[in-house]
Amino acid sequence: MPQYSYSQSLKIMLIPYLIIGILWLPLTFMIEKYYDSILISQFLVIQITTAFLFLIGFYFNNTSIYDIYWKVAPMFFVPYWSKGSGNIILPILVYFYCIKQNYTYFRFWPGLSYEDYRILEIKQKSPSPLIYWSIVYLGFEVCPSIMVFFGHLPLYYVFIQQNPCNFAYNFSIIFTILSITIEFIADYQLFPYRSKLLKGDCDIGLWRYSRHPNYFGECMYWWGQYLCQLSFGFENAWTIIGAASIQALFSFYSIPDMENHLLKKRDTYANYKKKVVSSFFPWFRKEK
């Protein structure tokens, strides 16, 4: 793979997103000529732009170009869903969440020299480029784009409904704000270790009580979206599939896979794991 400077990498990363931002509404209006549904139009636009980013990543032989998309797409489709609703709190929270996620990512991103360790492992094990790129596209780009769509889907039904239970609605807003705050604090505390300014296991702040408090805050965010919709009643309770699928992803794949990766990467992690007994929920430590 050619070596790119950080400024070159940044251009290669961000120009496709600028193009997506310019084309989002024209694509939406074009699709809505054939499908009179903003849910269908936004789902299809997400998949079209996902395919576009995949092709860019394929051309540059680097999958990290897609990495920030699931933190960018909601900034387009959630405000579009909210038009005419008069609700500005939820789009602002979504923007705050997405900006926080992208800030955290670019804070450590070294440029196109970076790819997720899981991608690199798949590349090494794949018997052919066709299988490798198929797994990348379907498993690491299409699936996340679908999960993000369904994770935010409860907000669509919030925007088209009226008269929620005020206590439940306000609770869901506070819950969502708390989730973003927890994840932000966890990411901030982890940064010196992730950027290798400090060595060893992050055993400070929230990380003293959970081995993955950032994942805990992340999942809280998606449950906050669902709780918000639930404050209007149980008519659209089926939208739980978004938060539930993301929770399942973290519980049965992301956390176990990261645990195995860290055990291989650091000899000290096994001892840290004994002291911080909870891999998800903040809980009491076990010092001895």
Side-chain angles (χ1 to χ4, degrees), residues 270-287:
N271 186 52
Y272 170 75
K273 192 174 179 179
K274 291 178 182 178
K275 292 187 294 183
V276 184
V277 295
S278 175
S279 64
F280 188 69
F281 294 101
W283 195 245
F284 299 103
R285 290 167 61 87
K286 186 178 181 180
E287 295 293 350

Side-chain angles (χ1 to χ4, degrees), residues 6-24:
Y6 185 82
S7 60
Q8 290 173 326
S9 297
L10 202 59
K11 290 177 183 177
I12 293 170
M13 170 74 89
L14 296 182
I15 287 176
Y17 287 92
L18 178 61
I19 294 172
I20 287 172
I22 293 171
L23 294 181
W24 193 279

Side-chain angles (χ1 to χ4, degrees), residues 68-139:
I68 66 170
Y69 188 52
W70 62 272
K71 316 156 200 173
V72 170
M75 299 172 76
F76 295 118
F77 68 80
V78 170
Y80 188 69
W81 283 347
S82 71
K83 63 178 183 177
S85 69
N87 189 319
I88 62 172
I89 294 176
L90 290 173
I92 287 174
L93 285 180
V94 170
Y95 262 72
F96 186 69
Y97 163 78
C98 291
I99 291 170
K100 181 211 73 67
Q101 293 285 58
N102 289 317
Y103 168 76
T104 299
Y105 182 84
F106 281 109
R107 199 176 179 208
F108 84 89
W109 185 66
L112 290 181
S113 60
Y114 170 81
E115 281 190 287
D116 190 282
Y117 75 89
R118 291 164 292 192
I119 298 290
L120 296 176
E121 289 177 354
I122 291 171
K123 184 182 289 187
Q124 292 173 351
K125 295 176 182 178
S126 294
S128 71
L130 177 62
I131 292 176
Y132 165 68
W133 285 107
S134 297
I135 293 172
V136 167
Y137 178 58
L138 297 175

